Amino acid sequence: MSKQELREKFNDVYKLIREELVAHIRAQGMPEDAVEWYARNLDYNTPGGKLNRGLSVVDSAKILLGDKFTDEHYKQAAILGWCVELLQAFFLVSDDIMDSSITRRGQPCWYRTPNVGMIAINDAFMLEAAIYHLLKVHFKPQPYYVELLELFHETTHQTEMGQLIDLITAPEDHVDLNRFSLKKHALIVQYKTSYYSFYLPVALAFHLCGLTSPKAFETALEILLPLGEYFQIQDDYLDYHAPPEVLGKVGTDILDNKCSWCINKALEIATPAQRAILDANYGRKDAECERKVKAVYEEIGLPKIYQQYEADVTSKIRKAIDGIDERTQGKREVYLSFLSKIEGRTK
């Protein structure tokens, strides 16, 4: 199947769970305007992204089961994948309010659409609650049902901890580069991104496919958390370095006072004069200030530093993948699939 066909097949499962969720709300006796609002919330916030997290559950399960992968396995994996996408939607609706963001996925943020406003806070809660309704309906008879519940709860908690560190480290309206460090950046990335974007889809596939070895889950963490960090560092670098026509958007990390890998790496090696330029210009809503920060990045050779980082981290991850014992730790192809989607990307 082509990527488009795989996406369309995955979206067909969304249509099924959407019907289930809307029918459940209606069955509670909710008035029709509330039912319509809920359906619009689901449609506006859940299916519009790249769907990489959700599709990764399906891809991982298919690799793990091989020829034993049935249509029923597909449906179960896709439902779990949509639960991950609902979690993502819950995070993004909330995050956009906290960041006062304007657009998301090429359209106004949900809270900025007509008549929504702060109702979006409750809508975010309802997106999260949908996860647990779907798990109950589709997985309660399974021996791993409690493990699914605990995994979603724990991952949500981890992501919220990462969001807390990020919010108090780099508020958009108060620039203090003394709060930044590569160690703090790594912590934010691990908790805010790596757990739910990389580890969660694979761990869900493990449970679905009956892989229960503690070593398998330990190995997943050992490989996927560094892979998630690599992905975010790559994202940070592309925000600074990739042309807008390639990236598909204009990078704003410098203007928005983001605790990016780029600024943290620059702070680590900048001369006192360069540090003064960074202190005076980073996080300012001014194109000339942004230009001065980028000039420092060029002076310290950030592109070459990133290229060396990418070579080192991909080598290390490949070595870890090569060391997997497939009898107890899952298949190497699960991790190679993730790496192939990330390595050397330009947008």
Side-chain angles (χ1 to χ4, degrees):
M1 280 190 182
S2 67
K3 286 185 178 180
Q4 183 59 34
E5 288 172 329
L6 290 170
R7 186 184 174 98
E8 288 174 1
K9 184 177 180 181
F10 189 60
N11 275 321
D12 286 341
V13 177
Y14 171 74
K15 295 172 186 174
L16 294 176
I17 64 166
R18 178 199 187 274
E19 288 180 12
E20 290 180 14
L21 291 168
V22 173
H24 173 67
I25 293 295
R26 184 174 280 120
Q28 306 309 303
M30 295 295 103
E32 195 58 29
D33 58 346
V35 175
E36 290 175 2
W37 184 287
Y38 179 62
R40 191 161 68 96
N41 175 24
L42 288 171
D43 290 340
Y44 197 92
N45 295 303
T46 310
K50 296 177 182 177
L51 307 181
N52 288 337
R53 295 166 182 83
L55 285 166
S56 291
V57 182
V58 177
D59 293 343
S60 298
K62 189 173 182 179
I63 291 168
L64 290 166
L65 289 174
D67 294 339
K68 297 178 182 178
F69 189 72
T70 65
D71 289 342
E72 182 59 25
H73 286 129
Y74 178 87
K75 182 180 177 182
Q76 290 179 315
I79 290 170
L80 288 175
W82 280 111
C83 286
V84 178
E85 293 297 330
L86 282 163
L87 185 67
Q88 162 85 336
F90 159 55
F91 290 148
L92 295 185
V93 171
S94 306
D95 192 57
D96 286 341
I97 297 171
M98 287 182 265
D99 289 349
S100 300
S101 298
I102 305 299
T103 60
R104 169 71 66 181
R105 296 170 175 170
Q107 59 186 1
C109 297
W110 176 241
Y111 81 98
R112 291 180 59 85
T113 58
N115 304 316
V116 175
M118 291 303 103
I119 298 173
I121 296 172
N122 191 66
D123 291 335
F125 296 157
M126 293 191 75
L127 292 169
E128 182 191 25
I131 297 167
Y132 298 100
H133 176 74
L134 291 171
L135 293 178
K136 182 179 179 181
V137 169
H138 292 280
F139 295 96
K140 191 172 183 180
Q142 301 297 336
Y144 52 83
Y145 174 59
V146 172
E147 281 76 12
L148 296 182
L149 295 177
E150 290 183 344
L151 185 56
F152 271 101
H153 281 304
E154 183 177 7
T155 304
T156 302
H157 193 195
Q158 288 164 331
T159 308
E160 290 163 349
M161 287 190 282
Q163 175 74 341
L164 172 63
I165 306 169
D166 194 17
L167 288 169
I168 64 177
T169 298
E172 197 169 336
D173 60 350
H174 180 69
V175 182
D176 181 1
L177 298 186
N178 290 319
R179 291 175 174 266
F180 289 12
S181 70
L182 284 170
K183 182 178 180 180
K184 190 171 284 187
H185 176 267
L187 196 62
I188 292 170
V189 171
Q190 177 177 327
Y191 279 86
K192 187 177 177 180
T193 300
S194 295
Y195 280 115
Y196 95 92
S197 297
F198 289 84
Y199 176 70
L200 176 61
V202 172
L204 290 170
F206 282 179
H207 287 302
L208 177 64
C209 298
L211 186 58
T212 59
S213 165
K215 186 63 178 174
F217 291 90
E218 291 171 12
T219 300
L221 286 170
E222 289 168 2
I223 294 174
L224 292 169
L225 294 188
L227 193 61
E229 182 177 13
Y230 165 39
F231 173 82
Q232 186 59 55
I233 289 174
Q234 187 180 58
D235 216 47
D236 291 350
Y237 177 74
L238 292 174
D239 183 274
Y240 139 67
H241 195 260
E245 60 271 20
V246 175
L247 190 60
K249 62 178 181 179
V250 177
T252 61
D253 284 359
I254 295 171
L255 299 172
D256 294 342
N257 190 38
K258 295 295 184 182
C259 185
S260 160
W261 176 82
C262 298
I263 184 62
N264 281 293
K265 196 66 185 176
L267 291 171
E268 184 183 57
I269 59 180
T271 65
Q274 290 169 331
R275 172 62 190 254
I277 293 172
L278 296 175
D279 281 327
N281 293 281
Y282 196 79
R284 271 63 178 185
K285 303 289 188 182
D286 182 277
E288 179 60 19
C289 291
E290 181 185 38
R291 186 195 65 77
K292 290 178 180 178
V293 172
K294 287 186 175 182
V296 173
Y297 288 175
E298 293 298 320
E299 286 172 13
I300 65 172
L302 195 60
K304 287 187 178 180
I305 294 170
Y306 172 76
Q307 290 165 11
Q308 187 60 54
Y309 161 78
E310 185 170 43
D312 292 344
V313 73
T314 53
S315 175
K316 186 176 180 180
I317 290 170
R318 286 187 182 282
K319 185 176 180 180
I321 294 171
D322 288 343
I324 288 175
D325 180 349
E326 293 194 339
R327 294 169 299 176
T328 59
Q329 295 172 266
K331 295 186 177 179
R332 298 184 188 94
E333 191 182 341
V334 169
Y335 304 106
L336 291 172
S337 174
F338 271 89
L339 183 58
S340 68
K341 294 172 186 175
I342 298 170
E343 188 174 11
R345 73 185 175 100
T346 58
K347 60 180 179 179

